[in-house]
Amino acid sequence: MARKKRKQIFEHIEVIDAGAKGKSIAKAPDGKIIFVNNAVPGDIVDIQTTKKRKAYYEGSATVFHKKSAKRVDPTCAHFGTCGGCKWQFMGYEHQLAYKQQEIVNNLTRLGKIELPKVTPILGSEDQFFYRNKMEFSFSDSRWLTLEEIQSGTEIESRNALGFHMPGMWDKILDIDKCYLQEDPSNDIRNKVKTFATKNNLSFYNARKQEGFLRTLMLRISSTGEIMILIQFFNEDEEKRKLLLDYIASEFPKVTSLQYVINSKGNDTIYDQEVICYKGKDFIEEEMEGLRFKINAKSFYQTNSKQAYELYKITRDFANLTGNELVYDLYTGTGTIAQFVAKQAKKVIGVEAVPEAIEDAKENARNNNIDNTEFYVGDMKKVFTKEFIAQHGQPEVVITDPPRDGMHKDVVQQLLNISPKKIVYVSCNSATQARDLALLDETYKVTKVQPVDMFPQTYHVENVVLLEKR
């Protein structure tokens, strides 16, 4: 039986760059790259390896000989344990620089395409408390710190209401204060946990698949409306009403109080019945006078303020005159489609999720927009000759796919449709680069605008304008 290779320690290593997924990059004495999970470019550290691969190592900094000038003190007490804000120890201006660098690298190295001058990344005005939606999990076996384990002290309550530990599906980090969502988010979460514990409402156990309280979702819109959704593992009317009535009385400003009874193995609610207990079954977002109904299952950009900036850039890139037919792919609830509609002759939105299309149609009616049409369909199958013959040849296509990017058949359909312009909004520049490479023979990239939607994280959005060669 082969012996397990011992972990190595590399001493006095300078961290030289930021890499993908929040890791930083250093070089080992043998020339291999080391991906470091807890260092900032400019740090000089000792690194203990955790994985060894043919071309690289993975590791953690264990000793800091010199700390980088790019470092800042993390704001959140949970930083380093919680996996949510991996770049919180890096100054915001440096976060932006590395995000821009990643986009340029991906488009040139992976896409191998010629780029115009990339416009400087648009930073977020709010670097904390910017998310309009948060999801927290209940657990009866919260994550214990090493100090707690070593103390030998008996821990009375293991109840937690917070986030999954990175890479651990069954362990929840109890959160005291999160800096991602504005008040009263922290107050609601903490009071719900305290009340549930005091009244012996059992917290979920993922391994045993038992326990009453499962998840808490909070949505706070830019209009100040609040949605709370509690997910229960099983129905217990008396206990359910006890908690929901407490929330309603303690937080009278809550606009929408809803719940789900979900006894299946996973906690996704998209195939579950959502029941409105008090108030409306939706909240509303507002943008340039347009109002969008957001229900418990709706997708809406998580940073409302930056979503507005992102959509303005998308509209500017499309540069519509009022005479164009526009196709909006992956339209979701039709926010971009309706945002550009007043400058277009007509907008056709296509989305695979039927409920989203119903929302899009309703939002368009409520906003008195009569030049949009929305269709449900598998993106790679919907653009048949019959569809084009019925709806027309678009001059402009806007596409905002999920992280996986566009299916190669969708790219081929775009080439078949052959619009004059394509505006490609992406939350993953690596898959965007792959798709741009497939379009490169017919389309030239003429504008690139990165947008930071998620400060303190390594995630970044990118908008690209493609014009026919």
Side-chain angles (χ1 to χ4, degrees):
M1 190 168 132
R3 282 194 308 168
K4 200 172 180 181
K5 285 185 177 146
R6 287 173 57 193
K7 293 173 180 175
Q8 291 176 264
I9 293 178
F10 299 119
E11 297 182 340
H12 287 269
I13 303 292
E14 183 176 2
V15 181
I16 54 175
D17 205 352
K21 298 187 177 176
K23 295 191 176 180
S24 290
I25 293 172
K27 271 198 175 175
D30 61 8
K32 288 182 186 175
I33 292 289
I34 315 170
F35 293 108
V36 192
N37 63 19
N38 61 339
V40 170
D43 285 339
I44 296 176
V45 295
D46 292 352
I47 299 169
Q48 180 165 334
T49 62
T50 52
K51 283 183 186 174
K52 181 181 179 182
R53 296 288 184 263
K54 197 171 182 180
Y56 64 89
Y57 300 96
E58 291 182 22
S60 297
T62 54
V63 177
F64 289 81
H65 297 286
K66 180 188 170 188
K67 292 199 172 180
S68 170
K70 294 173 181 173
R71 276 185 170 270
V72 294
D73 291 331
T75 302
C76 179
H78 301 294
F79 177 77
T81 310
C82 169
C85 300
K86 288 186 185 294
W87 277 5
Q88 206 183 105
F89 60 176
M90 193 191 304
Y92 189 54
E93 70 275 25
H94 304 299
Q95 294 180 30
L96 293 177
Y98 284 120
K99 290 183 186 198
Q100 175 130 357
Q101 176 182 295
E102 180 183 272
I103 282 169
V104 173
N105 285 347
N106 281 341
L107 298 195
T108 52
R109 292 180 188 174
L110 300 179
K112 295 182 170 59
I113 55 172
E114 186 187 343
L115 292 183
K117 187 175 180 185
V118 176
T119 312
I121 186 169
L122 182 68
S124 175
E125 185 183 329
D126 298 328
Q127 290 154 38
F128 293 99
F129 303 118
Y130 58 80
R131 285 185 67 99
N132 55 43
K133 179 186 177 187
M134 295 294 287
E135 295 179 85
F136 305 100
S137 296
F138 292 91
S139 173
D140 71 352
S141 52
R142 74 169 171 86
W143 173 257
L144 298 179
T145 65
L146 189 61
E147 291 78 13
E148 285 178 310
I149 294 166
Q150 290 175 342
S151 71
T153 308
E154 190 177 339
I155 293 159
E156 287 183 22
S157 174
R158 289 282 299 275
N159 283 349
L161 179 51
F163 301 125
H164 283 270
M165 287 293 293
M168 297 183 184
W169 59 274
D170 63 332
K171 286 287 185 286
I172 301 298
L173 176 69
D174 193 45
I175 298 294
D176 177 43
K177 181 175 182 178
C178 177
Y179 286 80
L180 286 174
Q181 191 176 40
E182 65 181 307
D183 291 336
S185 177
N186 284 303
D187 197 30
I188 291 170
R189 186 192 62 256
N190 288 331
K191 284 183 175 173
V192 164
K193 183 198 166 195
T194 300
F195 181 85
T197 301
K198 185 179 174 184
N199 287 275
N200 297 314
L201 305 181
S202 61
F203 286 33
Y204 189 62
N205 185 300
R207 284 192 175 274
K208 297 177 183 174
Q209 293 202 357
E210 63 183 29
F212 183 53
L213 297 172
R214 198 159 182 179
T215 65
L216 164 67
M217 181 178 79
L218 293 173
R219 294 185 103 139
I220 302 176
S221 73
S222 59
T223 60
E225 296 187 324
I226 301 169
M227 177 188 290
I228 298 179
L229 183 142
I230 302 282
Q231 191 172 170
F232 301 99
F233 183 60
N234 54 273
E235 172 64 299
D236 183 323
E237 188 177 1
E238 185 182 345
K239 289 180 178 177
R240 172 174 58 76
K241 283 186 171 179
L242 180 70
L243 179 61
L244 295 175
D245 287 342
Y246 165 75
I247 293 170
S249 64
E250 187 69 20
F251 300 100
K253 290 184 179 177
V254 168
T255 320
S256 172
L257 180 56
Q258 304 186 69
Y259 70 94
V260 167
I261 310 294
N262 175 11
S263 299
K264 63 188 174 72
N266 64 61
D267 57 18
T268 57
I269 65 166
Y270 296 99
D271 55 352
Q272 300 293 297
E273 181 189 6
V274 178
I275 301 158
C276 186
Y277 188 74
K278 190 168 185 183
K280 306 180 294 183
D281 64 356
F282 63 92
I283 57 176
E284 285 189 295
E285 282 285 355
E286 187 273 333
M287 202 179 279
E288 279 190 2
L290 300 173
R291 294 186 78 87
F292 300 104
K293 287 174 72 170
I294 311 294
N295 65 44
K297 297 180 184 180
S298 293
F299 171 79
Y300 191 82
Q301 287 284 359
T302 319
N303 183 337
S304 301
K305 201 179 281 188
Q306 278 296 84
Y308 179 41
E309 301 302 324
L310 183 74
Y311 293 167
K312 281 195 289 187
I313 291 161
T314 302
R315 186 173 62 190
D316 289 347
F317 277 20
N319 193 25
L320 302 171
T321 64
N323 299 314
E324 295 90 352
L325 172 63
V326 179
Y327 281 11
D328 181 30
L329 314 190
Y330 310 91
T331 192
T333 54
T335 44
I336 291 179
Q338 292 170 66
F339 193 72
V340 304
K342 60 190 169 192
Q343 293 184 1
K345 185 166 85 176
K346 191 176 188 180
V347 185
I348 305 287
V350 183
E351 168 62 51
V353 180
E355 293 88 351
I357 288 296
E358 289 309 309
D359 288 345
K361 289 176 178 176
E362 185 179 357
N363 284 329
R365 282 194 299 271
N366 294 342
N367 287 318
N368 297 312
I369 295 173
D370 57 9
N371 65 333
T372 56
E373 292 179 9
F374 297 99
Y375 297 92
V376 178
D378 181 337
M379 217 63 58
K380 62 182 183 288
K381 295 177 182 174
V382 76
F383 300 116
T384 59
K385 287 178 183 175
E386 292 76 19
F387 188 92
I388 302 300
Q390 184 180 350
H391 301 291
Q393 174 79 23
E395 285 83 17
V396 177
V397 169
I398 297 169
T399 181
D400 184 7
R403 289 193 64 77
D404 289 343
M406 296 189 289
H407 191 281
K408 65 180 189 301
D409 293 351
V410 178
V411 177
Q412 188 55 53
Q413 293 281 27
L414 276 179
L415 291 168
N416 295 343
I417 295 169
S418 196
K420 290 176 186 171
K421 285 188 276 193
I422 300 169
V423 183
Y424 189 153
V425 183
S426 171
C427 58
N428 182 349
S429 60
T431 55
Q432 184 183 45
R434 178 202 66 205
D435 296 344
L436 295 178
L438 296 172
L439 293 162
D440 190 52
E441 196 173 322
T442 307
Y443 288 92
K444 182 179 177 66
V445 172
T446 56
K447 287 185 181 179
V448 180
Q449 174 66 73
V451 181
D452 185 24
M453 304 285 284
F454 304 107
Q456 319 307 332
T457 79
Y458 54 84
H459 296 291
V460 59
E461 299 265 335
N462 192 40
V463 190
V464 166
L465 173 62
L466 299 115
E467 298 184 88
K468 263 188 146 176
R469 289 189 183 275

